[in-house]
Amino acid sequence: MPGRFVVIWFRFLEADRVVRRQPGMKDVPFALVLPQHGRMVVKAVNAVAYKHGVRAGMVVADCRAILPSLQVLDHDDDLVAKTLHAMGEWCIRYTPVVATDEPDGLILDISGCAHLWGGEGPYLKEILSRLRAFGYHACAGMADTVGAAWAMAHYVPGDVIVETGRLTEALMPLPPDALRLPANVLSKLHKLGLHDVRSFMTMPRRALARRFGEVLLMRLDQALGQAIEPICPIKPIVPHQVRKPCMDPVRTAAGIEHVLSNMLEELCRRLANEDAGLRYCVLTCYRVDRDVQQVKIGTSRPSRDVAHLYKLFEQEISNIEPDLGIELFLMEATIVEALSPEQEALWNTRANTDKELSELIDRVAGKVGGDTIRRYLPDEHYWPERSVRVADGLSEKPVTIWRKDIPRPVCLLPVPEVIDVTVPIPDYPPMLFRYKGELHQVVKADGPERIEQEWWIADGLQRDYYCVEDEKGSRFWLFRSGHYGTTEPRWFIHGFFA
Amino acid sequence: MEPLLKKEDIVKALQKEVLSMQRGGAVALNDQSATGLGAIEEAFPGKEFPRAAVHEFISYDMGAAAATNGFMMGVAGKLMPASGVCVWVGAKRTVYPVALAQFGIAPDKVIFIDPPRKKDVLWTIEEALKCEALQLVVGEVGELSFMESRRLQLAVERSSVTGFIHRKNPRTENTVACVSRWKITPETSIADDGMPGLGMPRWHVQLQKVRNGKPGSWVLEWRNGTLCYVPKTIIALPEVHTRKTG
C-alpha cells in the first residue's frame, strides 16, 4: 500500500532548545560539549557558530582557535531525547503516527492527512512555519518512502515535496550519504568515485551486494519503495482523566454525589485494568458562571476502591459551591502508582487489615491534615529529642531495636522547661525544685546520666540527667545543662516517669 | 439436692447470657485474656477485663498523668497481641514513644494522631474506634460529655476495639457511658534490697466505677514486664531526706 511520509530534520535541535530558554543566546556563538577521553568534544553547535566553521566532533581547544568568542555549555543526551519526544507528541496534532528519528529528526506518516489542511503544500508549510516560529531550524522533505523523505530533508535545500512515482528522479542527483549508509560503505563508495546515487543505481544488484554488502541494497530498496521500512510510533500517555459534561447544570449535593460515584467507577475500572491505584486525585467543577471549584484528595497507599475514594470525596463535597450549577466535572488522578492485587502485607493481624488501616488514615488525613499523623522509628542517638524519628508512611520497618535498658520517661516535654532548684554542689541532684509554681521535695534520686550534645549535629552544653521522686511519689526527669564553673548551670525538667 | 444444683446452673448460664447481651454481642475472650491483671480482673463481671468497651481514666496533674499513661501502656501491652496495631490520639500529646517499649508495646506499631482542635480529637477517636483493624485506641481529652461518650461506646460495640479515654484535668467528673472509671496516682517506689534510689514504677490504682462489677483499689508495681501486687504491709513510709548540703 503506498504511503506518504514527511521527515523533519532539526539541524540545531539542542542549540535551539537552549536559545528558547535563554533568548539572549540567540546571536552568541556557542557549542554544547561533553568530556571524552580527557578532552572536551563538541556535540552540537548553534547556527552562528556553524557559520564560523565550528562543527560537531571538533575539540573545544581547536574551536576556540577558530572562534575565540565561542561559549561552551554542557551537552545532555537525555535532555535532547526528551525534547525530541516532546516535539513528536506535539506533532500528533498533524497525524496520528509520528516516530522519532534519533538523534534529531521526526518521521510523520501523513497518509490521508494532508487534504485536511488543503493539500500537501499548505500542510507542510503549516507544520514548518509553526516549528520555525518556536525558534527551531527545521528542514523537511515529503515523499512516498521514509528513505526518500529523509534524503530530501537532509540533502536538498528548501522544503521539497516529491510527487508520487517520481522517487527515482529525485534521488538520482543526491550523494550516497543521503541513503543513510554506514560510514565504511560510504567511504568505499567515495573511494571508487561513486559520488552520486545515479552512478551506482543501475549497477547489477549482485555486484553491489558483493562489493558493499546487503545494507546498500536494503537502503536503496527502502528509499525507492521496494522494501518496507517499519517505524515505531510514539504512544502518548493518556492522563487518568474522566470528563462528565452535564446536560442540565448540577446544583444539589445529591446530584454531585451521583456524578462523583459514576466518575469514580469509570476511573477505578481503568486503574484496575492497568494494575494501578491512585495516590492523589483532583475533582474540578466548572460552573455555569465560569467559576472553577476544585477539591483534592490524597491517599496514604495507592487505592482503586470506589467506596473508599467516595468516602474521601464525601468529606469534601460540602466545600463545593455549585451556586448557579455545575456544567462540567473533570476528575484527574494526578499521581498514580502501581498497585498489584497482592500488595505486600504490612501487619498481618487480620485479613484486610492493611486496607482498613490505610483507609482510616486517609479519612483522618482528609479531615485533620496528613501532617498530624505520625509513626516513630528508633534512631541511634542518645540525645532524647533525636532518639526517635518520624517514619515514612505505614510500611517502613525499624532497622534498629528499641532500647529498653536505659530509663526513659513516659511523657517527654517537647521543649525542656526551666525550674528553680535548691541543690548541693557540685554533683548532686536537687533537694527541692519548683515547677509551675508548685514545690516538690526530692526524696529519692538516681543519676546522673550524662548525655553529650552531638557536636557534628549541633552546638550546645552536655546534660546530666537525674531521675527523681518527690514526696508524693511522682517521678521526674530533670537535667543540669553544663558544668559548675565560670557560669551557673541551669536546671530543666524534661519528662515524667510512670 | 439435685434440683437445687440445677437451678444454680441455670442462673449462671442466664447471667452469662445477659452479660454477653450487655456487651453488645462481643465475644468473651476468657481463654486468651491472660492479661496478668490478677485481682483486678476479679472486679469485672465474669472475671475478665472487658475488651470491646471504653474505659475512662482521670488524672489531675502531670505526675498522675504519667502514672496513668504507664498503667494504660502496661494493660495495653497485655491486651494487644504482638502484631496488634494501636492508635494514640491527643491534642497536646507528650507521650515519648521510646517508653512504650518498656511496657511491652512495639512503638512502631503505634500510630500517633495529633489533631489540633478538640472537636477533631473526638471525631478521630470515634473513627479509630470504628476501625476493626485496630486493637486499641487511646484518646487524650479534657472534657467528655455523656452524649460524646455514648457515641464512642456505640462505636466499639460494633467493632470490638478496646478504647482508653484519658481525661486530663476535667472540670467535673460527670457521668459518662464508659464501662469503668480508673484513677491512677503515683505511689512512692522502693528500691530492691534497701538500696537508695528509685524502685520500679509503683501506682495506686483505683477502680472507682465498673459496670456490673465491684470497684476496688490496689497498689501495683510494674516489674519484669508484668503488673505485680504490693501487699499493704510492705508499703513503707517515704524515707526522710537526710543528705546534707555540701
Side-chain angles (χ1 to χ4, degrees):
Chain A
M1 191 198 137
R4 202 78 177 133
F5 294 90
V6 168
V7 169
I8 303 169
W9 177 39
F10 300 99
R11 282 191 76 172
F12 306 111
L13 177 65
E14 197 177 1
D16 290 342
R17 193 190 149 270
V18 173
V19 172
R20 278 199 72 184
R21 271 154 193 75
Q22 304 167 37
M25 300 290 280
K26 193 165 183 273
D27 301 318
V28 182
F30 67 91
L32 296 129
V33 301
L34 198 68
Q36 225 167 48
H37 301 297
R39 306 177 307 170
M40 299 303 272
V41 176
V42 175
K43 286 283 163 190
V45 296
N46 73 340
V48 186
Y50 189 84
K51 220 177 278 168
H52 285 90
V54 180
R55 299 283 180 274
M58 291 167 89
V59 180
V60 172
D62 298 348
C63 301
R64 285 244 164 85
I66 302 168
L67 187 66
S69 63
L70 183 77
Q71 289 203 16
V72 170
L73 303 171
D74 287 335
H75 164 84
D76 186 347
D77 262 334
D78 293 345
L79 220 55
V80 179
K82 243 185 230 170
T83 313
L84 192 64
H85 197 270
M87 309 273 285
E89 279 191 11
W90 182 83
C91 283
I92 286 178
R93 68 194 58 202
Y94 294 112
T95 163
V97 185
V98 178
T100 56
D101 174 31
E102 300 285 341
D104 52 6
L106 289 176
I107 303 168
L108 280 63
D109 181 350
I110 59 155
S111 318
C113 294
H115 73 275
L116 297 169
W117 275 267
E120 289 178 344
Y123 176 69
L124 193 62
K125 205 173 151 203
E126 154 82 14
I127 299 176
L128 289 174
S129 58
R130 292 286 286 273
L131 285 174
R132 282 172 190 156
F134 289 143
Y136 289 100
H137 291 77
C139 311
M142 188 190 288
D144 285 350
T145 61
V146 177
W150 194 91
M152 296 302 138
H154 285 75
Y155 286 91
V156 181
D159 310 322
V160 187
I161 299 176
V162 180
E163 280 163 39
T164 310
R166 315 198 61 167
L167 277 177
T168 323
E169 286 144 61
L171 284 171
M172 271 199 196
L174 298 182
D177 307 57
L179 292 178
R180 294 175 290 168
L181 293 169
N184 57 342
V185 178
L186 282 176
S187 66
K188 226 184 259 178
L189 282 167
H190 285 297
K191 211 181 270 176
L192 295 170
L194 303 169
H195 296 302
D196 47 20
V197 177
R198 182 190 292 125
S199 52
F200 60 87
M201 210 165 155
T202 49
M203 284 186 187
R205 289 176 66 87
R206 288 184 58 192
L208 282 179
R210 198 170 61 238
R211 284 205 178 250
F212 306 105
E214 287 293 334
V215 66
L216 177 63
L217 289 182
M218 185 187 80
R219 286 302 192 191
L220 204 55
D221 288 348
Q222 281 178 347
L224 294 171
Q226 284 151 4
I228 293 164
E229 182 175 357
I231 59 171
C232 184
I234 295 171
K235 281 194 196 111
I237 300 160
V238 186
H240 291 85
Q241 215 178 45
V242 182
R243 285 168 68 90
K244 268 274 150 35
C246 305
M247 296 285 271
D248 287 319
V250 174
R251 297 175 57 182
T252 58
I256 296 174
E257 280 166 18
H258 182 74
V259 173
L260 191 62
S261 60
N262 277 349
M263 290 171 92
L264 277 173
E265 268 167 34
E266 198 174 313
L267 188 65
C268 291
R269 211 177 306 132
R270 186 176 155 201
L271 289 171
N273 287 338
E274 292 172 14
D275 271 345
L278 65 83
R279 286 290 308 272
Y280 199 78
C281 188
V282 183
L283 176 72
T284 316
C285 310
Y286 294 88
R287 269 182 5 195
V288 177
D289 56 357
R290 301 215 165 176
D291 190 88
V292 178
Q293 303 269 319
Q294 220 174 36
V295 291
K296 302 168 183 124
I297 58 152
T299 63
S300 59
R301 220 180 67 121
S303 166
R304 52 167 182 256
D305 182 348
V306 178
H308 171 53
L309 294 172
Y310 180 75
K311 235 180 214 168
L312 295 182
F313 267 118
E314 208 177 18
Q315 294 175 355
E316 305 285 335
I317 285 179
S318 55
N319 297 339
I320 303 174
E321 290 170 20
D323 206 40
L324 289 171
I326 297 162
E327 54 182 358
L328 173 68
F329 290 89
L330 185 75
M331 180 180 284
E332 185 171 11
T334 44
I335 302 176
V336 172
E337 282 177 13
L339 173 66
S340 53
E342 65 287 342
Q343 186 83 310
E344 167 208 11
L346 152 66
W347 297 316
N348 287 320
T349 46
R350 235 179 297 178
N352 251 353
T353 297
D354 278 11
K355 197 160 155 275
E356 278 174 42
L357 203 59
S358 53
E359 285 177 3
L360 169 73
I361 300 293
D362 292 345
R363 275 204 301 281
V364 174
K367 175 102 172 177
V368 300
D371 53 338
T372 61
I373 303 168
R374 293 185 196 90
R375 234 183 103 230
Y376 295 96
L377 293 179
D379 211 357
E380 287 186 322
H381 293 284
Y382 280 98
W383 199 255
E385 285 94 334
R386 285 189 214 115
S387 57
V388 291
R389 66 183 174 86
V390 177
D392 295 336
L394 289 179
S395 45
E396 200 183 348
K397 295 208 167 58
V399 286
T400 53
I401 54 153
W402 289 97
R403 296 284 299 262
K404 291 184 200 171
D405 49 339
I406 40 180
R408 285 292 175 265
V410 164
C411 297
L412 190 80
L413 294 170
V415 179
E417 288 172 30
V418 179
I419 47 170
D420 299 326
V421 293
T422 306
V423 58
I425 52 172
D427 264 335
Y428 288 102
M431 299 188 322
L432 298 169
F433 70 92
R434 191 182 289 279
Y435 173 56
K436 283 192 174 165
E438 200 183 331
L439 191 68
H440 298 271
Q441 187 155 16
V442 174
V443 180
K444 289 175 188 153
D446 270 341
E449 178 191 354
R450 173 163 294 180
I451 302 180
E452 291 279 354
Q453 178 64 271
E454 290 148 306
W455 54 262
W456 59 96
I457 297 175
D459 288 333
L461 297 167
Q462 78 278 29
R463 296 170 173 180
D464 284 336
Y465 276 96
Y466 291 91
C467 313
V468 302
E469 187 176 291
D470 74 355
E471 76 282 4
K472 281 183 275 179
S474 300
R475 288 168 277 271
F476 305 91
W477 209 31
L478 312 180
F479 72 84
R480 187 184 62 224
S481 180
H483 295 292
Y484 283 100
T486 48
T487 53
E488 187 74 4
R490 290 200 299 168
W491 283 82
F492 292 87
I493 183 166
H494 202 182
F496 304 87
F497 285 97
Chain B
M1 287 307 281
E2 198 78 5
L4 256 178
L5 265 175
K6 268 196 172 166
K7 198 174 174 187
E8 268 176 20
D9 285 347
I10 292 166
V11 169
K12 260 188 187 168
L14 278 172
Q15 271 176 341
K16 232 177 189 177
E17 204 174 307
V18 169
L19 200 59
S20 78
M21 281 156 85
Q22 277 173 337
R23 280 205 204 95
V27 190
L29 297 165
N30 210 3
D31 326 330
Q32 302 166 25
S33 80
T35 43
L37 295 173
I40 288 184
E41 293 217 306
E42 301 269 314
F44 293 108
K47 295 185 181 171
E48 62 189 273
F49 192 85
R51 282 168 188 247
V54 179
H55 300 263
E56 184 197 14
F57 294 80
I58 294 182
S59 70
Y60 284 101
D61 59 13
M62 280 307 287
T68 309
N69 276 337
F71 179 75
M72 285 197 300
M73 287 176 191
V75 176
K78 300 288 175 203
L79 289 179
M80 268 166 55
S83 55
V85 184
C86 169
V87 165
W88 200 295
V89 189
K92 281 181 194 149
R93 180 179 53 82
T94 51
V95 172
Y96 189 42
V98 176
L100 286 161
Q102 294 164 12
F103 292 94
I105 306 171
D108 47 291
K109 295 278 168 69
V110 182
I111 299 167
F112 294 95
I113 305 175
D114 314 323
R117 288 180 304 170
K118 190 225 164 191
K119 206 176 78 185
D120 291 335
V121 173
L122 278 168
W123 179 86
T124 312
I125 295 171
E126 194 187 333
E127 283 296 312
L129 284 172
K130 280 182 196 161
C131 178
E132 291 176 17
L134 297 173
Q135 252 69 44
L136 180 76
V137 175
V138 181
E140 294 179 357
V141 293
E143 305 303 320
L144 185 73
S145 71
F146 182 79
M147 200 143 69
E148 287 159 349
S149 67
R150 187 88 193 102
R151 283 185 70 104
L152 302 184
Q153 184 65 31
L154 286 173
V156 293
E157 278 174 14
R158 232 169 295 143
S159 64
S160 60
V161 178
T162 314
F164 286 173
I165 301 297
H166 184 181
R167 296 177 66 189
K168 288 179 174 173
N169 252 331
R171 247 171 288 150
T172 53
E173 291 186 15
N174 54 321
T175 313
V176 289
C178 297
V179 74
S180 65
R181 169 175 292 170
W182 301 81
K183 212 177 267 180
I184 290 116
T185 46
E187 188 76 29
T188 307
S189 68
I190 292 176
D192 294 337
D193 307 327
M195 298 287 279
L198 272 69
M200 297 291 170
R202 192 176 278 194
W203 308 302
H204 183 216
V205 176
Q206 286 168 275
L207 180 56
Q208 292 189 329
K209 282 182 185 173
V210 54
R211 200 186 294 157
N212 298 333
K214 295 185 276 306
S217 95
W218 306 268
V219 174
L220 299 177
E221 195 174 80
W222 183 260
R223 181 182 287 275
N224 303 332
T226 48
L227 283 168
C228 304
Y229 289 85
V230 181
K232 288 255 156 53
T233 46
I234 325 179
I235 303 170
L237 289 167
E239 62 186 68
V240 185
H241 187 75
T242 49
R243 190 183 296 123
K244 291 190 175 60
T245 312

